[in-house]
Amino acid sequence: MGQKEMIAMLLAGGEGKRLGVLTKDLAKPAVYFGGKYRIIDFTLSNCAHSGIDTVGVLTQYQPLELNRYLGIGSPWGLDRRDGGMTILPPYVKQKGGVWYKGTANAIYQNMSFIERYNPEYVLIISGDHIYKMDYELMLQHHKHTGADVTIAGIEVDWKEASRFGVMHIDDEDRITAFEEKPKNPTSNIASMGVYIFTWSELQKYLIYDEASRNSSHDFGKDLIPAMMRDGKGLYSYPFKGYWKDVGTIDSLWEANMDLLSDESPLDLSDSSWRIYSVSPNQPAQRVGADAKITSSLVTEGCMLEGEVNRSVLFYGVDAAKDSLIAESVVMPNVRIGEGARIYRAIIGEGAVIEPGVTIGGPEDEAITVIAVDQYVTVDHLLREVEHS
């Protein structure tokens, strides 16, 4: 294998417990988003636009659908012999299989994959964030500062800061303090979970961290604080664009709703930075004579006879007359019966909503989630519905 300047390692094994029934049989990066996409499309498209042609995808939890979706990486230009996409499930050694114990351990178990390419730099990214980012610009920043590790940082709402690793940085972007998910954060500059490491340094710290009995083998909790203690060069790359960690029902719903505003912070129609995906071949959507659609994203293959307002509809949704879909996300191939009302909900793929059913309400603040393939009748409505 020829040497690569930088390769990417994409962590896509998240269990996604906070997404509830949506991830019961599905890895979080494979969850649907934005009418035509899955969450992982965003980081893979970023790689394509950033000129990264070698990506290792580390899978773990419920990987079957994700693996089928990724295939050989064709939509993202990763179907190539010299590099391309490689799926990296947990290693099976002679003594049996070993689950990835943490983010750092996942990379440690795949050091031999990285060594095949002998890169100068390793980009570590996650498969469950929605954003557009040129990793090449981040690499230039990494080289300019002479960093051992560069962490992409974004200002978040102070109320949200305790969900993330937060950083203090000086005037030259050097990280002077790093705390992983602090109860009382003293900074609102959050780590985006996007790291560029100089490979020679990362290699040393992966080996050191693996040997540490007290480590949870996580980048944010263990490896980065160890580098900090040793006085290594830790720098932040300030990111100003749209970024959303869609790990909860509320944040997944909010990110879909963000696409519907007139001045959307995430422009999916930008031809200079397309988001690539595996798109099923569907006929054009059909809008009936009495249908009414406002401020919505409606994908091909939909047949609509009712009203759709501020909602995201994936392909193959069939909504009968007098139905109402408001402020909702409807996954592929959902059937919605005559007179049904849906407010502030996420409807799982293949669900059937019987005629006359009402889900949520115009005044209901909670997001209602209907499971994949769930059959919702008037009698059984609240039996298996999950509220966030």
Side-chain angles (χ1 to χ4, degrees), residues 34-184:
K36 286 181 78 78
Y37 310 101
R38 302 207 188 214
I39 297 169
I40 198 170
D41 289 337
F42 286 79
T43 32
L44 287 172
S45 297
N46 289 342
C47 287
H49 290 294
S50 304
I52 296 168
D53 62 10
T54 304
V55 180
V57 181
L58 286 72
T59 61
Q60 177 151 295
Y61 174 80
Q62 296 287 12
L64 292 180
E65 175 68 9
L66 178 61
N67 290 353
R68 187 191 65 74
Y69 179 75
L70 294 174
I72 57 171
S74 303
W76 309 278
L78 293 169
D79 49 340
R80 50 197 302 142
R81 283 189 179 164
D82 179 19
M85 178 189 288
T86 305
I87 306 286
L88 300 167
Y91 229 66
V92 179
K93 301 185 177 72
Q94 285 177 327
K95 294 178 184 173
V98 182
W99 282 105
Y100 293 144
K101 293 177 282 190
T103 51
N105 172 259
I107 303 297
Y108 172 83
Q109 286 199 38
N110 289 286
M111 279 171 60
S112 59
F113 170 79
I114 298 172
E115 284 161 0
R116 282 166 57 188
Y117 300 99
N118 189 26
E120 286 184 67
Y121 308 102
V122 176
L123 169 70
I124 293 174
I125 45 183
S126 167
D128 47 16
H129 298 147
I130 301 291
Y131 65 113
K132 296 179 186 177
M133 183 178 188
D134 190 339
Y135 302 131
E136 176 61 32
L137 296 178
M138 184 173 169
L139 178 59
Q140 288 172 18
H141 186 273
H142 182 84
K143 291 177 181 173
H144 174 72
T145 58
D148 295 308
V149 58
T150 300
I151 303 173
I154 190 167
E155 282 189 35
V156 296
D157 193 305
W158 279 95
K159 296 196 294 287
E160 295 279 299
S162 60
R163 281 180 56 201
F164 305 105
V166 294
M167 305 177 273
H168 288 259
I169 55 173
D170 65 17
D171 294 341
E172 294 174 340
D173 296 326
R174 190 174 185 116
I175 300 169
T176 56
F178 184 92
E179 297 176 280
E180 180 68 9
K181 298 182 181 172
K183 279 185 180 166
N184 301 301

Side-chain angles (χ1 to χ4, degrees), residues 21-23 25-26 331 347-351 369-375:
V21 292
L22 295 178
T23 48
D25 300 306
L26 191 66
M331 304 289 190
I347 311 293
E349 181 177 11
V369 182
I370 303 295
V372 172
D373 293 330
Q374 188 171 349
Y375 199 94

Side-chain angles (χ1 to χ4, degrees), residues 294-353:
T294 49
S295 303
S296 295
L297 289 178
V298 178
T299 311
E300 56 264 43
C302 290
M303 296 180 68
L304 306 176
E305 303 286 345
E307 184 176 343
V308 180
N309 180 30
R310 285 206 74 228
S311 294
V312 176
L313 273 57
F314 286 76
Y315 59 85
V317 173
D318 189 339
K321 65 181 181 179
D322 296 327
S323 61
L324 169 67
I325 304 167
E327 296 191 305
S328 294
V329 180
V330 186
M331 304 289 190
N333 300 320
V334 168
R335 300 280 170 271
I336 297 167
E338 189 172 331
R341 328 298 277 166
I342 298 170
Y343 302 92
R344 289 173 69 91
I346 299 177
I347 311 293
E349 181 177 11
V352 175
I353 313 300

